[in-house]
Amino acid sequence: MSMTPAEVREYARQHDMITTAGHAPGFMQANLLAVPQEYAFDFLLFAQRNPKPCPIVGVLEAGQYSSELLPGGDIRTDIPGYRVFENGELVAEPADAREYYNDDIVSFLIGCSFTFETALQDAGIKLPHIEQGKNVAMYKTNRACKPAGVFSGPMVVSMRPIPEDRVVDAVRIASRYPSVHGAPVHIGDPASLGIADLSMPDFGEAVDIPDNHVPVFWACGVTPQAAVMDSKPGLAITHAPGKMLVTDIKDSEYLIP
Amino acid sequence: MSMTPAEVREYARQHDMITTAGHAPGFMQANLLAVPQEYAFDFLLFAQRNPKPCPIVGVLEAGQYSSELLPGGDIRTDIPGYRVFENGELVAEPADAREYYNDDIVSFLIGCSFTFETALQDAGIKLPHIEQGKNVAMYKTNRACKPAGVFSGPMVVSMRPIPEDRVVDAVRIASRYPSVHGAPVHIGDPASLGIADLSMPDFGEAVDIPDNHVPVFWACGVTPQAAVMDSKPGLAITHAPGKMLVTDIKDSEYLIP
């Protein structure tokens, strides 16, 4: 029996979760990047120039903590886990971000590939990380994002093993969600993205690749965290990878016909 | 014999033009809104929240005057006419904007419905404003944009009379350009958009509606100018309506298959 998005947010206020993947299926999940106003333009421009890894699905202005994406919610508490970066260094991983927020901070919500996972599963494509009870595996690549202001960094991808005979279907289905990463950026050899070892992800957990499965790579909303690590803004607050904001927006709103 | 985009920009540096519509066909034309950095985040967010009237196709950061959209060009001179607003009031309409620019100003380039005009014409749909040698007619509507920071205002639309028997084709063709206004926002009765009199446009020129033609309305990149008039930032520099930046980007790059 699945929870509503509001119930997942309520649960996340009280509990840690390995990942929000698979919870409140059919509702969009979002990545968080929050920065002081002095960095807000540069980051929004970074996202605008790199829409595939950084599709903006909502922005909470300085001092705003709720919106139609999380009615009655609070962006500072409704994610299961946060990461706090000072000058690009990870300094804390709190379950509640209120002590790090102040009314000068702008929160960017970025589309997440979990959005099309439901559609893949509905088409009978099993997702090994969900089957294995793991967070998705994420990797920094050798592809640079277009810089904007102070922000630059590599594109981060998420990897899902897909059965060989369903790869075409996975591409076709994910392509229908262009505003939440959409089509994969690469199929097959990880080396061509500069990934040396699939068993050593930069974020999330290594996922076993079953026989007759091909690794398929999608642009990932953790890309802003890599940009924060490279670009070292004074302060940045993000979700912990795999622990997303579960929104009230249906995945189908991001579907193109 | 048509000019290249660079030739139109060169010509615009030296001459006024009633409109750039119909020049360098097949190449994207862009609206300009330039504001000091203190307003840049609010405006980029306004555009992000109102993608239909304000599709961002490029951003020149503070102190940047050229980009791949206008190679070798200068955003301060390469538009046939500019408008300068101080506190929401139109204070000048220079042919050259250099004396109003400084290195604190960010320039936003916004997609223009001229982009799909070529595609309409290629399909044999004649456009009366081009036939009549006029600027397109533009109107403020009763539809409010989503506000962002200091910016708010009505959606502005451009109107093209379309032959009754080609309206479906016009919708179908324009829909293939979602990142430059795309499908019309309204077909037919102007009153439902709050437009009292088609012969009194708020921007551009009144266009005669031939027999058996229906007025069709598209979201318009002049919307930011209306937001400037309502929101009164200290300084804003825009193109003069109908006098656009002609870019080196092909319209076809904005086409979805």
Side-chain angles (χ1 to χ4, degrees):
Chain A
M1 196 176 64
S2 61
M3 291 189 278
T4 67
E7 286 166 350
V8 179
R9 292 195 298 270
E10 170 67 29
Y11 185 85
R13 249 171 260 156
Q14 314 295 339
H15 303 82
D16 196 9
M17 303 165 75
I18 293 172
T19 174
T20 50
H23 292 273
F27 290 91
M28 184 182 73
Q29 302 200 9
N31 302 272
L32 170 69
L33 179 84
V35 288
Q37 291 193 75
E38 66 175 301
Y39 302 109
F41 172 66
D42 286 355
F43 182 73
L44 187 54
L45 184 58
F46 182 80
Q48 195 272 334
R49 288 182 175 164
N50 298 284
K52 197 135 180 162
C54 305
I56 297 286
V57 296
V59 179
L60 305 182
E61 297 184 45
Q64 184 188 352
Y65 302 115
S66 188
S67 78
E68 73 281 7
L69 273 69
L70 62 163
D74 188 320
I75 191 62
R76 301 169 298 181
T77 56
D78 289 8
I79 289 176
Y82 297 84
R83 290 182 142 189
V84 179
F85 294 86
E86 288 176 5
N87 303 310
E89 297 294 321
L90 180 64
V91 296
E93 297 198 81
D96 178 325
R98 279 178 292 188
E99 71 176 286
Y100 300 95
Y101 260 84
N102 62 58
D103 285 355
D104 184 51
I105 288 179
V106 179
S107 300
F108 297 92
L109 299 173
I110 298 156
C112 170
S113 49
F114 294 176
T115 301
F116 56 71
E117 287 190 343
T118 306
L120 294 176
Q121 292 172 303
D122 286 349
I125 301 174
K126 288 184 180 164
L127 297 173
H129 67 287
I130 293 178
E131 304 268 313
Q132 295 168 27
K134 288 180 176 170
N135 196 346
V136 72
M138 293 163 269
Y139 306 87
K140 294 185 188 179
T141 69
N142 58 6
R143 296 195 190 176
C145 291
K146 291 184 188 172
V150 301
F151 290 100
S152 61
M155 183 170 67
V156 175
V157 293
S158 60
M159 185 280 290
R160 291 168 185 75
I162 302 287
E164 275 174 7
D165 61 353
R166 302 305 305 275
V167 170
V168 169
D169 291 334
V171 172
R172 188 176 52 76
I173 293 166
S175 298
R176 296 170 67 201
Y177 295 88
S179 54
V180 282
H181 305 311
V185 294
H186 185 65
I187 296 167
D189 185 12
S192 75
L193 291 173
I195 300 168
D197 184 350
L198 285 182
S199 72
M200 299 281 283
D202 294 297
F203 307 93
E205 291 179 279
V207 171
D208 299 330
I209 301 186
D211 286 346
N212 303 315
H213 282 57
V214 177
V216 178
F217 300 88
W218 276 269
C220 178
V222 170
T223 300
Q225 288 193 33
V228 161
M229 290 156 127
D230 274 26
S231 311
K232 310 186 194 310
L235 175 67
I237 303 167
T238 75
H239 69 291
K243 303 179 184 188
M244 320 300 293
L245 177 71
V246 178
T247 79
D248 272 36
I249 308 298
K250 289 196 173 158
D251 287 346
S252 55
E253 293 194 28
Y254 286 86
L255 179 69
I256 56 165
Chain B
M1 194 177 65
S2 62
M3 291 187 279
T4 67
E7 286 167 350
V8 179
R9 292 195 298 270
E10 171 66 29
Y11 184 85
R13 248 171 258 156
Q14 313 295 340
H15 303 84
D16 196 9
M17 302 165 76
I18 292 171
T19 174
T20 50
H23 291 273
F27 289 91
M28 186 183 72
Q29 302 201 10
N31 302 272
L32 170 68
L33 180 84
V35 288
Q37 290 194 75
E38 65 174 300
Y39 302 108
F41 172 67
D42 286 357
F43 181 72
L44 187 54
L45 185 57
F46 182 80
Q48 195 273 335
R49 288 182 175 164
N50 299 283
K52 196 134 181 164
C54 305
I56 297 286
V57 295
V59 179
L60 305 183
E61 298 185 45
Q64 184 187 354
Y65 302 116
S66 189
S67 78
E68 74 281 6
L69 273 69
L70 63 163
D74 188 321
I75 190 63
R76 300 168 298 180
T77 57
D78 290 8
I79 290 176
Y82 296 84
R83 290 182 142 189
V84 179
F85 294 86
E86 289 177 4
N87 302 309
E89 297 292 322
L90 181 65
V91 297
E93 298 197 80
D96 178 325
R98 278 177 292 188
E99 71 177 286
Y100 300 95
Y101 260 85
N102 62 58
D103 285 354
D104 184 51
I105 288 179
V106 179
S107 301
F108 297 94
L109 298 173
I110 299 156
C112 171
S113 50
F114 294 175
T115 301
F116 56 72
E117 287 190 342
T118 306
L120 295 176
Q121 292 172 303
D122 286 348
I125 300 174
K126 288 185 179 161
L127 297 173
H129 68 285
I130 292 178
E131 304 267 313
Q132 296 167 28
K134 288 178 175 171
N135 195 344
V136 72
M138 293 162 268
Y139 306 87
K140 293 184 188 178
T141 70
N142 58 8
R143 297 196 191 175
C145 291
K146 290 185 188 171
V150 302
F151 290 100
S152 61
M155 182 170 67
V156 175
V157 293
S158 60
M159 186 280 290
R160 289 167 187 76
I162 302 288
E164 276 174 8
D165 61 354
R166 302 305 305 275
V167 170
V168 169
D169 291 334
V171 172
R172 188 176 51 75
I173 293 165
S175 298
R176 296 171 68 203
Y177 295 88
S179 54
V180 282
H181 306 313
V185 294
H186 185 65
I187 296 166
D189 187 10
S192 76
L193 291 174
I195 301 168
D197 184 349
L198 284 182
S199 72
M200 301 281 284
D202 295 297
F203 306 93
E205 291 180 278
V207 171
D208 299 331
I209 300 185
D211 286 346
N212 302 317
H213 281 59
V214 177
V216 178
F217 300 89
W218 274 269
C220 179
V222 170
T223 300
Q225 289 194 32
V228 161
M229 291 158 133
D230 275 26
S231 311
K232 308 185 196 311
L235 174 67
I237 303 168
T238 74
H239 69 291
K243 304 178 184 187
M244 318 301 292
L245 178 71
V246 178
T247 78
D248 273 35
I249 308 297
K250 290 197 173 157
D251 287 347
S252 54
E253 292 194 27
Y254 285 86
L255 179 68
I256 56 166

